[in-house]
Amino acid sequence: MAVRTILHYPEPVLKKISKPVVHFDEALKQLAADMVETMYDAPGVGLAAPQVGVLQRVIVMDCSGKENPPDLIVAVNPVLVETEGESCEEEGCLSVPEYYAVVKRFSRVTMNYQDVDGNPRQRQAEDLLAVAMQHEIDHLQGILFVDHLSPLKRSIFRKKYQKLMQQRDEE
Ligand code: GNR
Ligand code: NI
C-alpha cells in the first residue's frame, strides 16, 4: 500500500471522464488500497481515482468521523439510482486546497455499485455521506464542486485561487 500524490486544480486530468472498470483484478485492489490510504492520510472523507491521476470509476469514502467506528466504502462503477430532497452544505475538495463553498445537492441518495470483487452492492445515504457520494461521482464525470457555483462566485473563486497559488509559489 502507498499514499499517492493528489492532483490539484487546474490539472487537466481532473476534467476528464473516467472509464468503467471491467477487470476486477489485483491492479484494481492495489488502486483501491492506495486510495483508501491516501484518503485517510490527507485526511479526507472521500477520494475519487482521477484525483490520483487514474481515469477509472473507483471512489472511496468514510464519513464516520473520529468518534465512531470506521465506515469505509470502496465503490466501483457507482451510480445514483434514487435521489430525494435538497441540501445546501459547505464543501471542500482535496484537489482544490483551501477553498470552501456551499453547494446544492440531493439530501438522500441510493447508490448502486460493485465491490472490488465485482459483486453488486447498494447503499443508502443522507447527510455528509450523501453529499460525499455526489461529490465523488462528480469527479468521475470530470466535475469539481466549484463547477456548481454561479458564474459570479466562480469568477471570484478563480481570482482568489490564482492569488493563493501565487502566494504558495513565492513561499
Ligand atoms: O474531504 C472532503 N470533505 C468534503 C466535505 C464536504 C463535502 C465533500 C467533501 S469530499 C472531500 C474529499 C474530496 O475532495 N473528495 O473528492
Ligand atoms: Ni473532491
Side-chain angles (χ1 to χ4, degrees):
M1 294 229 294
V3 172
R4 299 203 190 182
T5 305
I6 297 175
L7 304 176
H8 290 169
Y9 172 93
E11 160 65 51
V13 169
L14 295 170
K15 300 229 71 177
K16 297 198 170 154
I17 295 181
S18 292
K19 294 200 168 68
V21 170
V22 285
H23 302 294
F24 292 81
D25 55 11
E26 269 315 303
L28 174 67
K29 290 180 176 78
Q30 185 61 247
L31 170 67
D34 286 359
M35 284 173 61
V36 170
E37 200 178 334
T38 306
M39 172 181 73
Y40 285 131
D41 177 76
V45 301
L47 191 74
Q51 293 181 276
V52 294
V54 179
L55 290 171
Q56 298 265 334
R57 303 188 82 83
V58 182
I59 62 176
V60 298
M61 283 161 291
D62 188 338
C63 292
S64 60
K66 277 186 202 153
E67 305 301 313
N68 303 306
D71 177 25
L72 177 63
I73 303 168
V74 177
V76 180
N77 300 328
V79 256
L80 296 182
V81 291
E82 268 177 70
T83 58
E84 268 181 55
E86 222 176 71
S87 92
C88 292
E89 294 294 334
E90 186 163 81
E91 296 191 21
C93 180
L94 295 170
S95 296
V96 189
E98 294 177 63
Y99 184 81
Y100 305 88
V102 170
V103 179
K104 190 170 132 189
R105 302 281 192 185
F106 301 113
S107 53
R108 285 176 303 280
V109 302
T110 304
M111 180 179 79
N112 283 4
Y113 63 99
Q114 288 166 283
D115 66 19
V116 287
D117 295 309
N119 303 307
R121 305 260 178 211
Q122 185 174 83
R123 177 79 188 247
Q124 289 178 342
E126 51 187 30
D127 304 319
L128 179 60
L129 182 57
V131 171
M133 282 177 182
Q134 293 166 80
H135 177 114
E136 302 315 333
I137 291 173
D138 266 359
H139 274 299
L140 304 181
Q141 295 303 108
I143 296 166
L144 298 175
F145 79 103
V146 292
D147 295 323
H148 289 285
L149 302 179
S150 68
L152 177 62
K153 283 199 175 144
R154 262 190 92 173
S155 75
I156 294 168
F157 157 72
R158 283 206 196 92
K159 281 178 211 145
K160 270 195 188 164
Y161 195 80
Q162 263 177 5
K163 265 196 193 161
L164 209 82
M165 293 305 113
Q166 253 172 308
Q167 280 172 356
R168 275 200 166 184
D169 291 343
E170 284 162 16
E171 277 169 16

